[in-house]
Amino acid sequence: MGAYRMRFSRNRLVSLMALLLSFACAPAWAQAPQYGNVGRAPTEQEIRAWDIAISLDGKELPPGSGNAQQGAPLFASKCAGCHGPNLEGSRLGPRLMGGKGTINTTHPEKTIGSYWPFATSVWDYINRAMPRFQEGSLTADQVYALTAFLLFRNEVIGEAEVMNAQSLPKVQMPNRNGFLPPRVEDIPDTNKRGCRFGTCP
Amino acid sequence: MNSQQADRRRFLKGSAALAGLASAGVIYPASAQTPATADRRPDEWYDYGVRSRFVKSMRLGTNGRFGKDPRPGVPRDYGFRAPLQDVYGTITPAPLHFIINHGYDPPDINPAEHRLMVHGLVDRPLIFSMDELLRLPSVTRMHFVECAGNSTASGAGFAPGLARTLPPATAQDTHGLTSCSEWTGVPLSLLLEQAGVKREGTWIVAEGAEQGMHMKSIPIAKALDDTLVVYGQNGEPIRPEQGFPLRLLTPGYEGINNVKWLRRIKVVDQPYMGMRESTKYPSLRVDGKARWFQFELGPKSVITRPSGGQHLAGPGFYEITGLAWSGAGSIRKVEVSTDGGRSWKEAEIQGPVHRKAHTRFRLAWNWNGSEAVLQSRCTDDRGDVQPSVAELGKFIGVTMSLDFFKERPDAITHFNAIQPWRVMRDGSVQNAIFA
């Protein structure tokens, strides 16, 4: 307990010093040593080509749209070989549906419907990494349609519901509240979360 | 075969039989009587050195050699464990460094064409070539990397949970998903200062250039603290399977953060919840709630000699030695027990001790020939002590039985409990976790 208190007060001291330093160094910061001619500004085109990670508010999502009806034949031709015609999975790819109500049992079945907290992750991962060995081959419309198909088969959205840059980030996933800490803003402070010797409670 | 070669063969046979502890990976071909014959391998050996053909130590895939599952149609497994029991000192040789590649072969990247882009919530987005990164002020640091699931019962595709819990398990089976290197590169803080992080930049997203383009969200505090963008490993360019030509290094954080084949850092205002960070790496509690983003790896140690699968030649002197590390900082103390945890002796620590790095410990031991259980526990400079299996179970609120350990590896990632090895009367050494 004593050690803990000591650490706490030392942390406060360090924060105070950092605060003072940040004022003291403010003018120096503005003129931080630049490393001349090392690195260049990327073009807008270069940024757009690589800017594929999708945030929870979906601001990187490209134009385009699709629904489950459009996604079904795409799934059959491009995904079923590994994930099974009924999304049941195989040795080559995981199961993509089912498992509802199993997460707190001794045999949790983690799928998009039973476990995944965010719909944007589905779009991001299909676009980034699927189909295996043909990564990057799907159009934005196809990724929206496949995402819609998976969400529909997991009973998250309706069969005709259209997924696009506006609607997808608004989809509420069934297990969104299954993660600790629940608020994304609280993730970085592992002391406050009570993490100890490498494990969080 | 001339008589010299025949002598040498006889000698090697004899030494293999007698080698005892050393036989795990190394046999010493040396004779005071007869000069050895020359090693007659191709001239290219002089261009780029190779180890002696008598040294057999190698990585081992979770699904066996080359990561190949014996069943047909199962894709290669990309979890390869380092033979920690054969490592001397604190550096893991790069060709033996553990590999987790999330199912992808290393990409074949020409460094002349590789670029790192830093953009997002910054004043000045930047693109760097490898040549440009090499011009910037560099640092060299010793750090371990460890997979979040190291030492759990996960990952054995065709025999789930078995390898790690069974008596024949070696230190490679139990702890091989960690390795330690001397890394050289540029502090990420330097690149971020050049780009100028905006006030609302609270996270970064780091992304690789391999087929699956692995991505990971990391808090800005870590990015500005000791995170490095590295191109050097143990004095040479990092190996393709370790991210050539460029990787991220987040000292002390779980392995998934150390993005290989790094090509993009985007400064953002929230975690982006990529597939792996939001669905694969959270640890699922028994009540159905999952702990996501656990980041830091705890204090951990393992005796590497004598350890599982090795053989003591008979009663007498043996140095007990092993590795300790902590994601929190440096190792302050290592204690060793030779009586199953009833009494503990402080081991000698090999200095200099580096922060967030494998630390070698040693203790002299005379084996009296009776059954003995050897184990180590370390304390880091935060004062945290490596827990026992029971203590770790209590902390996460479960009874850590063998069955639970085998069936729910997803509930106990970051398994850093004390590892016991049992020395049998015949000199064989067995894994005694849960025994």
Side-chain angles (χ1 to χ4, degrees), chain A residues 3 7 10 29 32-44 46-60 91-94 102-111 115-118 120-122 124-125 127-130 132-136 175-185 187-191 193-201, chain B residues 71-75 78 103-105 115-119 124-129 132-133 135-137 190 193-194 196 202-203 205 207 211-215 219 253 263-264 266 268-276 278-280 282-299 382 384-387 391-392 395-396 407-408 410 413-416:
Chain A
R7 197 165 67 238
R10 199 175 59 197
W29 176 263
Q34 298 291 309
Y35 302 105
N37 282 328
V38 184
R40 63 168 174 85
T43 64
E44 277 303 311
E46 283 174 317
I47 293 179
R48 219 175 310 126
W50 282 12
D51 195 17
I52 60 163
I54 307 299
S55 58
L56 302 182
D57 50 28
K59 56 181 170 287
E60 294 87 356
R91 280 176 185 177
L92 298 175
T102 65
I103 296 303
N104 61 352
T105 69
T106 51
H107 290 92
E109 185 110 51
K110 299 175 187 171
T111 72
Y115 193 61
W116 288 38
F118 298 106
T120 45
S121 311
V122 182
D124 177 294
Y125 193 67
N127 180 58
R128 162 186 309 277
M130 290 290 127
R132 185 75 175 91
F133 302 116
Q134 295 164 50
E135 296 87 352
N175 194 43
R176 167 60 190 91
N177 296 320
F179 293 80
L180 296 172
R183 276 164 29 104
V184 163
E185 301 88 302
I187 290 174
D189 193 343
T190 48
N191 278 335
R193 288 166 61 184
C195 305
R196 266 194 64 208
F197 41 72
T199 297
C200 299
Chain B
R71 298 174 304 178
V74 178
Y78 288 84
Y104 296 93
D105 281 323
R115 298 288 181 272
L116 172 66
M117 182 159 76
V118 179
H119 73 122
R124 297 169 294 277
L126 288 167
I127 279 190
F128 298 94
S129 68
E132 286 172 323
L133 290 172
R135 284 164 58 192
L136 290 172
L190 187 152
E193 277 161 26
Q194 283 300 105
T202 51
W203 288 74
V205 170
E207 193 173 81
Q211 282 173 302
M213 290 186 284
H214 171 56
M215 62 158 278
Y253 272 26
R263 76 167 192 184
R264 188 163 77 102
K266 184 177 184 183
V268 295
D269 60 358
Q270 53 183 295
Y272 267 33
M273 298 298 177
M275 182 277 281
R276 287 194 191 90
S278 68
T279 77
K280 294 287 184 205
S283 160
L284 185 56
R285 303 196 315 191
V286 288
D287 66 357
K289 296 284 186 188
R291 321 162 176 98
W292 54 13
F293 295 90
Q294 297 196 82
F295 301 126
E296 193 177 285
L297 294 152
R382 190 187 279 163
D384 282 342
V385 181
Q386 182 181 7
E391 284 164 348
L392 187 56
F395 183 69
I396 65 172
E407 285 164 16
R408 293 298 306 274
D410 59 338
T413 58
H414 294 208
F415 185 78
N416 60 332

Side-chain angles (χ1 to χ4, degrees), chain B residues 117-339:
Chain B
M117 182 159 76
V118 179
H119 73 122
L121 297 171
V122 297
D123 297 327
R124 297 169 294 277
L126 288 167
I127 279 190
F128 298 94
S129 68
M130 288 303 299
D131 282 345
E132 286 172 323
L133 290 172
L134 281 157
R135 284 164 58 192
L136 290 172
S138 59
V139 295
T140 292
R141 293 193 189 132
M142 291 275 289
H143 286 304
F144 75 87
V145 181
E146 182 177 17
C147 173
N150 190 25
S151 307
T152 67
S154 71
F158 64 95
L162 281 182
R164 193 264 177 272
T165 57
L166 293 177
T170 66
Q172 184 167 17
D173 296 324
T174 63
H175 288 72
L177 293 178
T178 180
S179 295
C180 183
S181 301
E182 186 205 75
W183 302 98
T184 297
V186 181
L188 178 57
S189 60
L190 187 152
L191 302 181
L192 291 175
E193 277 161 26
Q194 283 300 105
V197 175
K198 289 184 194 287
R199 187 182 299 271
E200 58 272 31
T202 51
W203 288 74
I204 64 164
V205 170
E207 193 173 81
E210 80 276 30
Q211 282 173 302
M213 290 186 284
H214 171 56
M215 62 158 278
K216 184 71 181 68
S217 308
I218 299 163
I220 196 79
K222 181 65 175 178
L224 292 171
D225 180 17
D226 55 359
T227 298
L228 304 175
V229 170
V230 298
Y231 43 74
Q233 180 183 13
N234 301 340
E236 63 176 359
I238 53 179
R239 300 259 167 145
E241 68 271 31
Q242 292 306 324
F244 181 83
L246 197 66
R247 80 175 296 176
L248 199 65
L249 203 79
T250 56
Y253 272 26
E254 50 187 15
I256 183 183
N257 294 282
N258 300 268
V259 175
K260 299 173 181 177
W261 313 292
L262 180 70
R263 76 167 192 184
R264 188 163 77 102
I265 301 276
K266 184 177 184 183
V267 178
V268 295
D269 60 358
Q270 53 183 295
Y272 267 33
M273 298 298 177
M275 182 277 281
R276 287 194 191 90
E277 60 196 0
S278 68
T279 77
K280 294 287 184 205
Y281 281 73
S283 160
L284 185 56
R285 303 196 315 191
V286 288
D287 66 357
K289 296 284 186 188
R291 321 162 176 98
W292 54 13
F293 295 90
Q294 297 196 82
F295 301 126
E296 193 177 285
L297 294 152
K300 187 163 173 177
S301 70
V302 62
I303 293 171
T304 54
R305 279 192 301 159
S307 64
Q310 297 176 345
H311 194 271
L312 274 56
F317 180 81
Y318 296 89
E319 180 180 74
I320 295 174
T321 182
L323 295 166
W325 61 96
S326 171
S330 53
I331 292 298
R332 184 198 288 167
K333 182 168 75 168
V334 180
E335 297 157 287
V336 169
S337 170
T338 58
D339 57 10

Side-chain angles (χ1 to χ4, degrees), chain B residues 58-63 77-84 96-100 149-156 163-164 171-179:
Chain B
M58 60 187 185
R59 286 191 282 237
L60 191 57
T62 300
N63 285 347
D77 170 88
Y78 288 84
F80 289 86
R81 287 152 206 261
L84 294 185
L96 295 174
H97 193 292
F98 89 91
I99 309 170
I100 300 277
N150 190 25
S151 307
T152 67
S154 71
R164 193 264 177 272
Q172 184 167 17
D173 296 324
T174 63
H175 288 72
L177 293 178
T178 180
S179 295

